[in-house]
Amino acid sequence: MPMPPSLRELQRAFGAALVEGDGDALAPWIAARGIDPAARLRIYRHANLAIHVEALATSFPATVRLLGEDCFDGLATRHAAWIGSASGNLQAYGADLPGFLVAQPELTAHAWVAEVARLEWLRQEVALAASGDVADPFALVLALAAATNAAVRLQPHLRLCSSAVPVLGLWRYAMDLAPAVAPNGAGEHVLLWRAGDGVAMRAVDSALASFVRALLAGERLAAAWANASGTAPQELLAPLLEHGLIAAVVNASEETSA
């Protein structure tokens, strides 16, 4: 009789059986107790897949509605079976779903669905991100006037989604918040941030999107303004100040001392 595997080997074999469906190496070491070992492993595998499919459905409700429950369930099951989760935290599961949807042949003519999924994952990131201190807006205005080439620290929950399709309109339609939108309509830039217990979204023009993108990349104010096609600084800063999305303004001397 072969030597029994170690606990570590059993755990690895069990994980492989859940993810890959191959339980041959593990089956001899599973007590039947009225259920065939292979059948017992299938029960665990199906339950594991169902948990992951449900997690995706929770994070991508608009995508579910756009595809239909049956179609989404099939694609989500395929994702869970082929790729699975690299983390034990199901809240982190789904970051790669938009890219996965792009690669599915049955969605070739519906690439906009993946764009909505990308927006939904950014909503998930916003909901889970930390919050920075909300600086006094008057103090920020004074600091910005005194140091036009300062570094601006944005709230860590702020995100930007730039899409070639009307992604916010499609999301709103899917969630029964707006009339139908043509998927081949004009693209949109969308700011996302946490507002209270929810996630706020706002479509913005390309100048503000370029400005925010530059700040998120660590550019200083002067460089960020240069990306904004000549739009007045106050027009770019106003919506960020209005929603408390600027955490701090740091001039060069403060950065050096820090």
Side-chain angles (χ1 to χ4, degrees):
M1 182 175 181
M3 291 291 293
S6 66
L7 176 60
R8 184 178 182 85
E9 290 170 335
L10 285 172
Q11 290 172 333
R12 286 181 174 177
F14 183 68
L18 291 184
V19 175
E20 301 168 10
D22 182 9
D24 291 347
L26 186 61
W29 308 103
I30 297 176
R33 294 180 182 174
I35 302 177
D36 178 72
R40 190 186 294 273
L41 285 174
R42 285 195 297 272
I43 291 171
Y44 278 109
R45 175 170 166 76
H46 292 160
N48 179 64
L49 291 175
I51 289 170
H52 283 77
V53 169
E54 181 62 28
L56 291 177
T58 299
S59 297
F60 298 91
T63 308
V64 173
R65 294 188 177 194
L66 291 171
L67 289 173
E69 290 186 6
D70 289 344
C71 180
F72 182 89
D73 185 78
L75 289 166
T77 301
R78 188 186 304 171
H79 180 277
W82 289 4
I83 300 175
S85 175
S87 170
N89 180 3
L90 285 177
Q91 289 182 321
Y93 176 56
D96 59 349
L97 184 69
F100 175 82
L101 295 177
V102 169
Q104 302 313 298
E106 58 264 60
L107 295 182
T108 299
H110 307 284
W112 49 273
V113 174
E115 288 295 284
V116 175
R118 187 161 65 90
L119 179 71
E120 292 203 281
W121 185 253
L122 289 177
R123 287 178 56 85
Q124 176 82 344
E125 289 186 354
V126 169
L128 299 176
S131 291
D133 295 331
V134 178
D136 178 77
F138 297 103
L140 286 175
V141 170
L142 292 175
L144 289 166
T148 57
N149 199 31
V152 173
R153 293 177 184 165
L154 299 175
Q155 289 291 342
H157 53 78
L158 178 64
R159 297 291 187 277
L160 172 67
C161 179
S162 293
S163 175
V165 303
V167 64
L168 181 56
L170 290 166
W171 181 87
R172 286 175 171 165
Y173 163 69
M175 301 303 290
D176 296 329
L177 299 174
V181 175
N184 60 350
E188 288 182 316
H189 304 282
V190 184
L191 287 186
L192 307 91
W193 67 94
R194 192 160 59 250
D197 294 330
V199 175
M201 298 189 291
R202 170 177 172 176
V204 300
D205 60 26
S206 58
L208 182 54
S210 296
F211 180 66
V212 171
R213 187 179 299 109
L215 292 180
L216 289 172
E219 297 282 358
R220 291 180 172 275
L221 275 177
W225 284 333
N227 290 328
S229 304
T231 303
Q234 58 269 27
E235 294 182 28
L236 299 170
L237 292 167
L240 302 181
L241 291 167
E242 175 188 356
H243 298 293
L245 300 177
I246 298 179
V249 176
V250 183
N251 61 40
S253 62
E254 290 175 323
E255 283 187 310
T256 301
S257 62

